């Protein structure tokens, strides 16, 4: 460089070398950071795919759809009540724990979920025999409304399960079905597939609780899989809607039983719901969850036998059934295992009349009348 001393030239060369080294080091660090971020993103993606058995893409699509959909359904009034266009007597069929198609275990479910998410063809699902039997019962009553009591799709309540397993069978009654979610629906994040499949029929704002009005009957569909404790949004609403219909005959349904001969964990919210409806004088409650049929004696809010209390029905053999004998609890009046079945209820102005309809080959049954 003209006019520079030898010393200055040395300094300039050293600075230039240092600058070049710094630039190379910076680029190398940036490349390492980029590689690390790529590896991290790949690992997170693999964990999401593995952890959701391939549902992650369906979950994302569901989130976009829910953001675009209105929070308040036009099917329900501002108090979450839908008035059925029926005249009494009016009948319903009720059961839970329905679709459990063979799916090849974890890898098979992941493959089906990924194929569903990207629109690839899938092999036809192999249905469980119990669901075929109860589907035939629904087909024998083509005009009768259906109460679906949760755990509608095993094992994780995913979207592909609803489409490939539930829909070809019980899905034929979609337009006459009023569901409640079970714990297996919530094995998928926020029960997204359940709410996507049922849309407005699952109630407003994807909370999973609502009420049906049929003549002088008010029937509450409650959610045993979310907070039902004193002061929760669900409990407040249930108390308000019951108070707003003091002259109605009342019934309710939610997935988990508060009281049954088989005691299972995770029933705190179910017990809170039972306590609430029993204290309000609800005549009977329907459940799924346990894979058999059971009817209790009338119970008080704490599950103790009492005259004029609330009767609990477990109707969890809509596709899956417990084999072998079960020791009935002291409060159990009828218990049927070893067969699938559907409970038929007929509502009149003064009573609800029930008959348990079992699969072909079974002679087990139960029937009776509950005064309003």
């Amino acid at each position: 460089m003209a006019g520079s001393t030898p010393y200055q030239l040395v300094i300039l060369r050293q600075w230039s070398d240092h600058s070049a080294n710094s630039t190379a080091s910076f680029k190398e660090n940036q490349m390492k950071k980029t590689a690390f971020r790529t590896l991290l993103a790949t690992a997170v993606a693999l964990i999401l795919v593995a952890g959701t058995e391939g549902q992650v893409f369906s979950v994302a699509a569901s989130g976009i759809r829910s953001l675009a959909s209105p929070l308040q359904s036009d099917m329900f009034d501002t108090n979450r009540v839908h008035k059925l266009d029926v005249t009494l007597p009016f009948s319903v069929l009720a059961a839970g724990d329905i679709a459990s198609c063979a799916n090849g275990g974890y890898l098979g479910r992941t493959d089906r979920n990924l194929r569903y998410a990207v629109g690839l063809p899938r092999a036809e699902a192999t249905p469980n025999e119990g669901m075929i039997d109860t589907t035939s019962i629904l087909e024998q009553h083509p005009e009768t409304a259906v109460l679906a009591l949760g755990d509608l799709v095993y094992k994780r309540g995913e979207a592909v399960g609803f489409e490939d397993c539930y829909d070809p069978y019980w899905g034929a009654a979609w337009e006459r079905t009023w569901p409640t979610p079970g714990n297996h629906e919530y094995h998928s994040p926020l029960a997204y597939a359940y709410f996507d499949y049922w849309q407005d029929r699952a109630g407003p704002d994807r909370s999973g609780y609502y009420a049906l009005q049929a003549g002088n009957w008010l029937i509450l569909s409650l959610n045993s899989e979310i907070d039902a404790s004193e002061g929760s949004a669900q409990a407040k609403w249930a108390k308000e809607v019951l108070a707003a219909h003091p002259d109605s005959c009342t019934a309710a349904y939610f997935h988990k039983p508060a009281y049954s001969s088989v005691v299972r964990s995770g029933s705190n919210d179910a017990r809170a719901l039972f306590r609430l409806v029993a204290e309000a004088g609800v005549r009977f409650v329907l459940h799924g969850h346990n894979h058999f049929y059971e009817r209790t004696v009338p119970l008080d809010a704490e599950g103790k036998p009492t005259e004029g209390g609330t009767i609990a029905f477990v109707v969890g053999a809509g596709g899956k059934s417990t084999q072998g004998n079960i020791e009935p609890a002291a409060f159990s009046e009828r218990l049927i295992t070893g067969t699938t079945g559907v409970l038929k209820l007929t509502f009149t102005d003064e009573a609800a009349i029930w008959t348990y309809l079992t699969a072909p080959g079974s002679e087990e049954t139960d029937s009776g009348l509950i005064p309003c």
Side-chain angles (χ1 to χ4, degrees):
M1 183 178 293
S4 299
T5 67
Y7 175 76
Q8 289 174 323
L9 290 174
V10 171
I11 295 300
L12 285 171
R13 279 196 297 270
Q14 289 177 343
W15 178 86
S16 178
D17 292 343
H18 176 73
S19 178
N21 290 335
S22 296
T23 300
S25 178
F26 175 77
K27 288 181 178 178
E28 184 180 355
N29 288 334
Q30 287 298 104
M31 290 175 65
K32 288 180 178 178
K33 288 181 180 179
T34 300
F36 175 76
R37 289 168 181 162
T38 301
L39 287 172
L40 180 62
T42 302
V44 170
L46 289 173
I47 290 170
L48 285 172
V49 170
T52 63
E53 295 182 353
Q55 293 186 72
V56 60
F57 303 109
S58 299
V59 174
S62 171
I64 294 170
R65 285 192 296 271
S66 63
L67 287 173
S69 63
L71 289 178
Q72 182 63 40
S73 167
D74 293 336
M75 186 174 286
F76 296 87
D77 66 20
T78 56
N79 206 21
R80 311 174 76 90
V81 177
H82 174 75
K83 188 172 183 179
L84 295 172
D85 185 18
V86 297
T87 55
L88 299 181
F90 160 71
S91 294
V92 301
L93 301 170
D97 306 82
I98 296 163
S100 183
C101 293
N103 51 34
Y106 172 84
L107 292 178
R109 287 194 301 273
T110 301
D111 178 69
R112 294 187 77 87
N113 277 312
L114 289 173
R115 287 177 173 274
Y116 172 83
V118 298
L120 292 176
R122 304 176 298 280
E124 184 176 345
T126 303
N128 48 311
E129 292 184 8
M131 177 173 62
I132 295 175
D133 289 338
T134 57
T135 298
S136 70
I137 295 175
L138 266 59
E139 291 171 346
Q140 294 166 27
H141 302 82
E143 305 299 322
T144 304
V146 176
L147 306 183
L149 304 180
D151 281 3
L152 309 180
V153 176
Y154 284 81
K155 178 182 178 182
R156 296 175 65 97
E158 63 268 76
V160 70
F162 273 102
E163 182 165 315
D164 290 0
C165 189
Y166 182 93
D167 195 66
Y169 300 93
W170 274 55
W174 187 93
E175 292 185 346
R176 54 189 172 110
T177 298
W178 300 96
T180 187
N183 52 297
H184 280 271
E185 275 70 59
Y186 279 89
H187 285 186
S188 290
L190 302 176
Y192 80 95
Y194 168 86
F195 289 109
D196 282 358
Y197 179 78
W198 291 109
Q199 302 176 44
D200 281 2
R201 303 193 77 81
D205 64 35
R206 302 172 81 90
S207 295
Y209 57 89
Y210 57 92
L212 303 172
Q213 188 172 6
N216 64 326
W217 280 90
L218 182 73
I219 307 168
L220 276 64
S221 177
L222 301 171
N223 189 347
S224 61
E225 309 313 306
I226 64 172
D227 187 9
S229 61
E230 186 77 22
S232 67
Q234 180 174 203
K236 288 180 180 178
W237 168 80
K239 289 181 179 180
E240 289 172 0
V241 76
L242 287 166
H245 296 80
D247 298 326
S248 294
C249 304
T250 51
Y253 60 103
F254 47 93
H255 178 65
K256 287 179 181 173
Y259 300 101
S260 174
S261 292
V262 172
V263 179
R264 299 168 69 180
S265 61
S267 298
N268 289 342
D269 288 305
R271 292 205 171 196
L273 290 174
F274 187 87
R275 186 179 303 112
L276 187 156
V277 298
E279 288 176 347
V282 168
R283 302 302 299 127
F284 66 89
V285 181
L286 309 176
H287 309 290
H289 200 49
N290 291 338
H291 302 160
F292 48 79
Y293 171 83
E294 183 173 25
R295 173 174 52 84
T296 72
V297 299
L299 303 174
D300 67 14
E302 302 303 321
K304 305 283 181 58
T306 184
E307 186 177 349
T310 301
I311 296 173
F313 291 87
V314 175
V315 198
K320 297 172 75 70
S321 61
T322 297
Q323 304 300 310
N325 296 323
I326 294 173
E327 183 68 26
F331 52 69
S332 181
E333 193 158 38
R334 185 76 167 98
L335 199 154
I336 299 173
T337 62
T339 181
T340 53
V342 175
L343 184 65
K344 182 181 180 183
L345 289 151
T346 299
F347 298 90
T348 72
D349 287 328
E350 299 178 348
I353 304 162
W354 83 84
T355 303
Y356 188 53
L357 309 173
T358 51
S362 172
E363 297 181 358
E364 298 277 13
T365 189
D366 187 37
S367 61
L369 178 149
I370 303 173
C372 171

